[in-house]
Amino acid sequence: MSTPQVVVHRDKELMAQAAAARLITKIVDAQAARGSASVVLTGGRNGNGLLAALATAPARDAVDWSRLDLWWGDERFLPEGDPERNATQAREALLDAVELDPARVHYMPAADGTYDDADAAAEAYAAELAAAARPEDHGPVPCFDVLLLGVGPDTHVASLFPELPGVRETERTVVGVHGAPKPPPTRVSLTLPAIRAAREVWLLAAGEDKANAVTMALSGAGEIQAPAAGAYGRRRTLWLLDSAAAAKLPRGLYPPSSP
Ligand SMILES: O=C(O)[C@H](O)[C@@H](O)[C@H](O)[C@H](O)COP(=O)(O)O
């Protein structure tokens, strides 16, 4: 478990641009060291804001997009192409504009009849992750280079909501989620154990409606009540915030050089 590190940016646009620049460097470094890189995407405005910033980043083409594995931390269980699907939004923000290898883009299943329900879809995605895990990953999912997460105002991450069964899962790597308080109610999500397999976990939060959630998650709350508190990477856990989301952080957690 890595101790969370907090970086605060002036506003959400700058936060997205800085996160995009950081992600480009991370991917380029991983590709140089290991030949390929793996990133887990998130839904939500901040995750999509990062992808949109990446699409226009000057160093965008430093990445070899064909050697990038993409996974999703969660998905809304809706038909393929639905505008509310995280995959659809990610494609619009970035993915359709870069030369990805389709075999390396691991979409979570859509509600298109292939699987009976979100639980069956979750099981299929868990099997896909397990098939991609190598012996050196020491577990049932690959050791992702970077796993991105948005943070909800209630401290949810991916589709793991406070007190719901998903956040309590300790065995399975992917679960079907029913009755999510954020619409749509039916979703598929990585679990905390799968999230914690990542080398680096980056949590993104912007806006004053996130200030209480950020403070709670970083002040010792339990992960059942505050799922974001249980999201950390093997090597690094990075909270990328704008100043509004960081406004209520105790001074001890607020980086000295931030605005
Ligand atoms: O599918 C989703 O809805 C997300 O993956 C969810 O976990 C999201 O990341 C947070 O709700 C933050 O969303 P915002 O960045 O829009 O606040």
Side-chain angles (χ1 to χ4, degrees):
M1 165 177 182
S2 51
T3 309
Q5 201 185 336
V6 179
V7 179
V8 184
H9 296 287
R10 192 180 58 224
D11 53 48
K12 71 170 190 304
E13 288 75 25
L14 208 48
M15 181 188 95
Q17 285 161 9
R22 190 186 278 282
L23 188 58
I24 289 172
T25 306
K26 214 23 93 208
I27 295 171
V28 170
D29 282 354
Q31 289 179 333
R34 291 185 286 280
S36 65
S38 57
V39 173
V40 182
L41 301 179
T42 179
R45 290 157 299 170
N46 291 302
N48 287 317
L50 186 161
L51 296 184
L54 234 168
T56 56
R60 174 184 117 171
D61 295 327
V63 169
D64 180 346
W65 295 99
S66 69
R67 289 190 294 131
L68 178 66
D69 284 290
L70 288 178
W71 299 89
W72 268 262
D74 74 328
E75 186 54 277
R76 297 127 184 227
F77 194 58
L78 297 167
E80 160 113 47
D82 189 293
E84 288 302 314
R85 256 175 78 80
N86 290 338
T88 312
Q89 296 179 3
R91 289 184 63 171
E92 275 165 16
L94 173 73
L95 309 191
D96 284 347
V98 290
E99 298 287 316
L100 293 160
D101 173 355
R104 287 179 178 257
V105 183
H106 306 274
Y107 294 111
M108 282 184 161
D112 59 5
T114 309
Y115 300 102
D116 284 350
D117 54 21
D119 301 313
E123 220 174 288
Y125 204 63
E128 193 171 337
L129 283 161
R134 298 145 304 177
E136 59 268 29
D137 294 324
H138 302 294
V141 302
C143 181
F144 314 110
D145 289 302
V146 177
L147 184 144
L148 300 168
L149 292 170
V151 180
D154 59 354
T155 71
H156 77 258
V157 287
S159 291
L160 303 177
F161 294 88
E163 312 280 355
L164 290 193
V167 75
R168 299 177 188 273
E169 180 63 44
T170 56
E171 298 295 326
R172 286 176 297 168
T173 55
V174 192
V175 286
V177 175
H178 306 274
K182 177 180 182 178
T186 310
R187 294 159 166 261
V188 176
S189 184
L190 297 194
T191 59
L192 287 177
I195 288 170
R196 297 197 279 245
R199 277 192 187 82
E200 300 204 8
V201 170
W202 299 1
L203 299 107
L204 305 160
E208 57 185 328
D209 60 319
K210 303 289 175 68
N212 286 334
V214 167
T215 302
M216 188 178 163
L218 283 168
S219 304
E223 65 196 33
I224 307 296
Q225 293 74 34
Y232 42 83
R234 294 189 200 206
R235 299 230 185 109
R236 196 174 196 206
T237 307
L238 203 50
W239 283 72
L240 302 173
L241 308 175
D242 77 344
S243 49
K248 295 187 180 167
L249 279 181
R251 287 314 299 180
L253 290 170
Y254 204 90
S257 60
S258 297

